């Protein structure tokens, strides 16, 4: 399969402009959090763990949006669902855990950002915004419309990417003043999130026929492919259709995509659930130990 992809050219396979942009953002991050940190008021040193989280998120972002994975996502629905799962369920929490608290605080307190952020970051709103956007995207008529128009595709996927950050914010943001959910409520939030994401996955997994024209009909497929492959390159190719690049029948590839999305969702939500639960349990244990210590040594506590 990789051999067949060579016909689309280097630009379609490796997105050099996105690579340059990703490298530039990474350099800027390490400068601002390193030598350039003292230029900013209230800046603080960050840990190596945070730097590792940020770097991991940038590598993952380029791999799913700039490597051959992005081209494959236009050829196979299973690759597209894998790309979406990583883009919306894996990258946002990792990136948030890699961001310095002082930078996030400066951004969300900007006059133009603060009132909007205050509203959409409320846990219930954050939960609904992302899952409604995600579910609407997978309605066939909406999906096929977005996939063939550069403006619609860029706008919707960008809004959904921002929505994913807002959805993860109540769980993993590093700002003490923004911790609106207790440990037990965070667990409920994760479970609700998993339930809201399930219908879109179920639609794809249990469908007995191809749902999306952009992966089954030649004209729509070529129109969607134009968003990834330069027009000049695409015009010079003699393509037989999407089945040329997929060893699976269309329905099975579609079902595989839904299964992959669900598996990645379960892994991420399970990991965050464990992180939240054990953190909550540790804090409760420390609180109980402090209360016990005060009861046994009241004068020392005073």
């Amino acid at each position: 399969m990789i051999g067949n992809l060579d016909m689309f050219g280097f630009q379609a396979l490796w997105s050099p402009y996105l690579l340059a942009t990703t490298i530039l953002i990474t350099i800027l991050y390490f400068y601002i959090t390193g030598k350039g940190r003292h230029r900013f008021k209230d800046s603080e040193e960050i840990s190596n763990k945070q730097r590792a989280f940020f770097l991991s998120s940038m590598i993952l972002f380029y791999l799913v949006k700039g490597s051959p994975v992005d081209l494959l996502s236009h050829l196979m629905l299973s690759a597209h669902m894998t790309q979406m799962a990583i883009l919306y369920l894996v990258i946002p929490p990792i990136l948030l855990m890699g961001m310095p608290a002082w930078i996030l605080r400066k951004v969300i307190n900007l006059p133009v950002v603060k009132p909007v952020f205050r509203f959409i970051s409320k846990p219930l709103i954050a939960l609904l915004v992302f899952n409604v956007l995600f579910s609407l995207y997978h309605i066939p008529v909406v999906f096929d419309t977005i996939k063939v128009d550069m403006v619609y595709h860029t706008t919707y996927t960008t809004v959904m990417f921002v929505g994913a950050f807002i959805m993860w914010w109540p769980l993993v943001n590093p700002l003490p003043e923004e911790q609106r959910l207790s440990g037990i409520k965070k667990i409920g939030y994760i479970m609700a999130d998993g339930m809201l994401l399930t219908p879109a996955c179920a639609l794809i997994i249990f469908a007995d026929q191809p749902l999306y024209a952009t992966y089954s009909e030649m004209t729509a497929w070529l129109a969607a492919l134009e968003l990834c492959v330069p027009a000049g390159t695409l015009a010079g190719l003699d393509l037989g259709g999407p089945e040329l690049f997929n060893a699976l029948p269309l329905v099975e590839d579609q079902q595989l995509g839904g299964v992959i999305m669900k598996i990645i969702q379960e892994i991420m939500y399970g990991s965050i659930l464990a992180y939240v639960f054990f953190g909550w349990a540790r804090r409760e244990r420390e609180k109980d130990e402090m209360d016990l210590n005060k009861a046994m040594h009241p004068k020392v506590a005073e």
Side-chain angles (χ1 to χ4, degrees), residues 10-208:
F10 179 81
Q11 184 174 336
L13 285 171
W14 296 106
S15 303
Y17 296 113
L18 183 62
L19 175 60
T21 302
T22 305
I23 292 173
L24 182 61
I25 291 173
T26 304
I27 292 173
L28 186 63
Y29 169 88
F30 278 95
Y31 172 74
I32 290 177
T33 59
K35 292 182 178 180
R37 177 171 58 86
H38 302 292
R39 294 175 178 268
F40 300 90
K41 185 180 179 181
D42 301 324
S43 63
E44 299 173 355
E45 181 64 39
I46 65 171
S47 67
N48 289 330
K49 182 184 291 187
Q50 286 177 290
R51 294 187 179 96
F53 277 133
F54 181 87
L55 187 58
S56 298
S57 69
M58 290 294 100
I59 292 172
L60 278 174
F61 178 76
Y62 175 72
L63 287 177
V64 298
K65 290 298 292 180
S67 76
V69 172
D70 187 51
L71 177 58
L72 280 172
S73 74
H74 288 78
L75 303 174
M76 303 162 55
L77 185 59
S78 57
H80 176 67
M81 296 301 288
T82 302
Q83 180 191 52
M84 288 194 67
I86 295 173
L87 193 60
Y88 301 123
L89 302 181
V90 179
I91 292 175
I94 294 176
L95 182 55
L96 280 173
M97 288 188 284
M99 291 298 296
W102 61 272
I103 291 181
L104 290 172
R105 191 174 287 114
K106 286 179 182 297
V107 172
I108 68 174
N109 285 324
L110 290 172
V112 70
V113 174
K114 190 172 183 178
V116 177
F117 181 83
R118 282 291 168 193
F119 176 73
I120 63 174
S121 65
K122 293 179 180 179
L124 181 59
I125 301 298
L127 199 64
L128 291 175
V129 166
F130 173 73
N131 284 286
V132 168
L133 287 170
F134 185 86
S135 297
L136 285 176
Y137 178 80
H138 288 95
I139 296 173
V141 65
V142 176
F143 186 97
D144 288 330
T145 300
I146 291 172
K147 285 285 287 181
V148 299
D149 186 283
M150 180 64 77
V151 175
Y152 290 163
H153 185 267
T154 302
T155 302
Y156 199 97
T157 54
T158 300
V159 171
M160 191 154 52
F161 192 54
V162 173
F165 277 95
I166 299 300
M167 181 269 288
W168 284 107
W169 181 262
L171 295 173
V172 297
N173 85 79
L175 306 184
E177 67 271 21
E178 291 293 330
Q179 302 299 324
R180 305 183 188 182
L181 296 178
S182 63
I184 193 66
K185 289 182 179 178
K186 285 184 178 181
I187 293 173
Y189 182 95
I190 296 170
M191 296 176 66
D193 205 358
M195 288 188 290
L196 289 172
L197 200 67
T198 297
C201 295
L203 170 69
I204 297 169
I205 293 171
F206 296 109
D208 57 3

